[in-house]
Amino acid sequence: MVPVVQLYARDVPELPFPWAMDVLQVVWCPLIHDDEVGSALPKVYWRNEQTVAAGRVLPEPPVPYECDEDFMPRPCTVTPTRVVEFPHGDLPVDLAQALSQRFDEIEEALGFSYYEMATTVQSKVGGYPGWLQEPDWPDCRCGRRMDHLLSITATEPVEGCWSPLDEQEPGSSDPGPGTTTDPTVVDAIGHGMDMGDLGGMYLFVCSACPDMPYAHRYDC
Ligand SMILES: [Zn+2]
Ligand SMILES: [Zn+2]
């Protein structure tokens, strides 16, 4: 297992946590698995920061005996840009039809279609999965459709419709599409994973069940 992302409740107030937990850790086995998903195999841990700090912490993360380079993240930090997302693949058909004229107006005014802009294809917490294939939401054992917890996508940091502010030319204040990425930073930041054919790992959780079961989807 290799560490993929660690988030504190204080940094991401929207994240759901089980009772008494305040650290979210995602690790995965960095091999392609011969299951129906066919990707690295993630595992989610909810922890308590005080308990973790009081215990023994390894000075260096363990290096796997073997791995698929596409799913082996390099160490990096998270500097989030907050954006509002709207569904694209998840937009109900009748609503998409009702709004089609407004979508045409958006495209004419901005040069990007609604579907290119509604959902970021970036590593993120919350929002909608940036489905490249048909939406495939997992159901919880309680019968409820799970919620999108977070996505790790290969398009970090230079590709995709959106560029977070810290990746842009100095002085930029717009995280929207069409902004210019600063070439001096793109190679130096981000997790550096191609994740197969520039895919994404989406994690889902049921926050209605006390133990907060989770599931994953790999999309490319
Ligand atoms: Zn494995
Ligand atoms: Zn549930």
Side-chain angles (χ1 to χ4, degrees):
M1 291 286 182
V2 296
V4 178
V5 62
Q6 171 173 278
L7 298 168
Y8 292 93
R10 61 171 180 272
D11 292 331
V12 193
E14 296 89 345
L15 259 184
F17 278 90
W19 186 79
M21 298 298 156
D22 55 7
V23 184
L24 167 70
Q25 293 176 328
V26 177
V27 300
W28 65 42
C29 172
L31 293 173
I32 308 292
H33 289 74
D34 195 15
D35 55 13
E36 63 194 36
V37 181
S39 70
L41 187 61
K43 208 163 161 37
V44 172
Y45 291 96
W46 313 96
R47 298 192 193 280
N48 176 279
E49 186 180 357
Q50 275 192 331
T51 311
V52 172
R56 196 174 68 92
V57 178
L58 294 173
E60 295 287 336
V63 177
Y65 168 70
E66 57 178 343
C67 71
D68 187 302
E69 285 293 325
D70 277 9
F71 289 93
M72 188 64 199
R74 66 179 172 191
C76 60
T77 55
V78 178
T79 319
T81 297
R82 190 175 290 268
V83 298
V84 176
E85 291 195 329
F86 299 93
H88 74 310
D90 290 306
L91 191 67
V93 175
D94 54 345
L95 187 57
Q97 279 167 356
L99 293 172
S100 66
Q101 197 186 333
R102 286 170 69 181
F103 291 170
D104 290 344
E105 289 165 15
I106 288 173
E107 187 155 0
E108 206 158 295
L110 301 174
F112 292 91
S113 82
Y114 166 81
Y115 294 95
E116 285 177 288
M117 295 198 300
T119 308
T120 63
V121 183
Q122 292 276 352
S123 296
K124 61 184 167 188
V125 171
Y128 295 88
W131 300 111
L132 301 170
Q133 307 295 330
E134 283 294 298
D136 179 22
W137 291 79
D139 288 324
C140 180
R141 59 169 188 262
C142 71
R144 199 176 157 269
R145 193 183 81 170
M146 288 188 169
D147 306 312
H148 176 237
L149 177 69
L150 60 87
S151 290
I152 308 292
T153 59
T155 46
E156 183 106 0
V158 65
E159 312 228 2
C161 308
W162 295 77
S163 295
L165 294 176
D166 58 328
E167 294 159 20
Q168 294 181 20
E169 301 282 9
S172 176
S173 60
D174 178 12
T179 47
T180 312
T181 304
D182 184 345
T184 60
V185 301
V186 293
D187 287 336
I189 62 174
H191 55 59
M193 293 184 286
D194 285 343
M195 299 182 67
D197 190 12
L198 297 182
M201 186 78 79
Y202 312 150
L203 286 159
F204 301 85
V205 70
C206 177
S207 42
C209 287
D211 61 335
M212 293 185 56
Y214 62 89
H216 72 284
R217 293 287 185 266
Y218 171 69
D219 185 40
C220 80

